[in-house]
Amino acid sequence: MPNSEDLKTFQGKIIAIDGPAGSGKSTTAKLLAQRLGFTYLDTGAMYRAVALAALRRKIPWSDGDVVAVLAAQVVIEFVPDATRGQLTLLDGEDVTEAIRSPEATAGSSAVAVHPGVRAEMVKRQKELGRHGNIVAEGRDTTSVVFPRADLKIYLAADIKTRAQRRYLEAVARGDKTTVEEQIRLLEARDKNDSERAVSPLTRVPDAVLVDTTGLTIEGQVEKIFALAFRAFASKP
Ligand code: DC
C-alpha cells in the first residue's frame, strides 16, 4: 500500500484508462481508484444505464433522438458501497447487476453511437471530474472527456485473453456461454466500437500502452500505479 506522502503526489489528478472490451479496464480502474482513495468514473456504466432505461420504456436503441432525450432525463449516480465497492443507481434504483446483462451490454454499444447521447454523457462526466481525484475508464476518456488528463493509459490484451476473462465473468454471473462465443461477441463489439463515426476506439498518441496479456489484475494495478507515481513525481 502507498503511504500518505506517496498519495500526496496524486492529489487532484485525473487518470484516464481506455482500451478494448475485456482488456481489464474496469477492474484495474476500480482497484486503482480504491488504492488512491479516488472516485472511479465508470463511463461504460452510464451508457449501459441509458440502454437499460430505453429497454424498460420500450424505446428502440436505434432511435437516436428519443434515446438522447431519455439520456438527458435519467439520473445516474455512483455511490460507494462497503461490500460491493461502488453501486450504479438509475433514477435511484440499484442497477449495478442489471446493466451487466447480455441485453444491456448489447444495448450500450447501440446507444453509444448516437451523438446526442454521447454529448449528454460527456457533459456529465466532465462535471464529475471537475475537481480531479478521479480514475476514469472508458472509450473516449483519454480523447474527448479528459483530453488534459494527467496520465492516460491504453490497456491492450490479445483476444483470447480478453475472451477468457469475459467467459469467467459470465460464468460467475451464472450465464451459459463458451470462450468461442465470447470471442465472437468481442470481435463484433471491437468492430462496432472502432468503426463508429463518433469517438471510435482509438489509442491517442500520448496514452501509455500497457499490454495486460499474462498479467494478473494485481500486476496491472501495480504497473499503472508505478507509472503514475513516476509521471507525477517528475511533473508535480
Ligand atoms: O466498458 P463497457 O463494456 O461497460 O462499455 C459499454 C459500452 O458503452 C461499449 O460498447 C462502448 C460504450 N462506451 C462508450 O461508447 N464510451 C465510453 N466512454 C464507455 C463505453
Side-chain angles (χ1 to χ4, degrees):
M1 282 297 279
N3 64 37
S4 55
E5 265 317 295
D6 287 353
L7 288 180
K8 269 196 203 148
T9 316
F10 288 86
Q11 272 319 300
K13 299 284 196 264
I14 293 180
I15 300 173
I17 304 184
D18 197 355
S23 58
K25 294 191 300 282
S26 313
T27 322
T28 307
K30 199 183 300 171
L31 291 176
L32 186 65
Q34 257 174 29
R35 186 163 172 177
L36 299 173
F38 279 16
T39 301
Y40 160 48
L41 176 54
D42 180 357
T43 60
M46 297 174 71
Y47 292 95
R48 287 169 179 272
V50 170
L52 182 67
L55 186 68
R56 289 178 170 176
R57 288 169 178 77
K58 303 203 171 15
I59 297 169
W61 296 321
S62 58
D63 193 336
D65 292 342
V66 182
V67 180
V69 170
L70 176 67
Q73 286 170 350
V74 290
V75 178
I76 303 169
E77 294 162 289
F78 297 115
V79 296
D81 179 81
T83 47
R84 289 152 71 206
Q86 182 169 286
L87 305 180
T88 305
L89 306 187
L90 171 62
D91 293 325
E93 178 195 339
D94 177 5
V95 293
T96 314
E97 263 84 54
I99 58 169
R100 303 283 150 196
S101 71
E103 257 181 325
T105 300
S108 60
S109 205
V111 300
V113 302
H114 304 305
V117 174
R118 299 202 71 81
E120 179 61 31
M121 295 298 107
V122 169
K123 188 175 83 184
R124 293 183 185 202
Q125 290 153 11
K126 283 182 189 281
E127 179 60 27
L128 287 166
R130 209 153 45 99
H131 302 295
N133 290 357
I134 209 156
V135 180
E137 172 255 308
R139 285 311 120 78
D140 56 352
T141 50
T142 56
S143 52
V144 178
V145 187
F146 299 119
R148 295 165 58 94
D150 299 283
L151 180 69
K152 301 178 183 181
I153 302 284
Y154 188 89
L155 288 184
D158 65 32
I159 189 130
K160 271 201 189 139
T161 305
R162 295 194 281 131
Q164 179 70 23
R165 289 175 184 163
R166 284 282 144 124
Y167 167 76
L168 292 175
E169 283 166 15
V171 170
R173 277 197 308 270
D175 296 344
K176 235 178 142 257
T177 182
T178 60
V179 176
E180 289 67 34
E181 185 188 23
Q182 291 302 318
I183 290 181
R184 280 196 301 278
L185 289 172
L186 279 176
E187 281 173 346
R189 283 189 61 194
D190 282 356
K191 190 165 178 313
N192 200 8
D193 293 344
S194 311
E195 290 179 357
R196 70 178 185 214
V198 188
S199 292
L201 172 65
T202 44
R203 178 185 160 206
V204 294
D206 55 344
V208 182
L209 176 70
V210 175
D211 190 332
T212 70
T213 309
L215 280 184
T216 61
I217 285 296
E218 292 74 26
Q220 271 174 233
V221 175
E222 190 51 49
K223 195 161 175 169
I224 297 171
F225 180 84
L227 271 171
F229 191 69
R230 226 178 307 141
F232 300 158
S234 66
K235 204 168 39 124

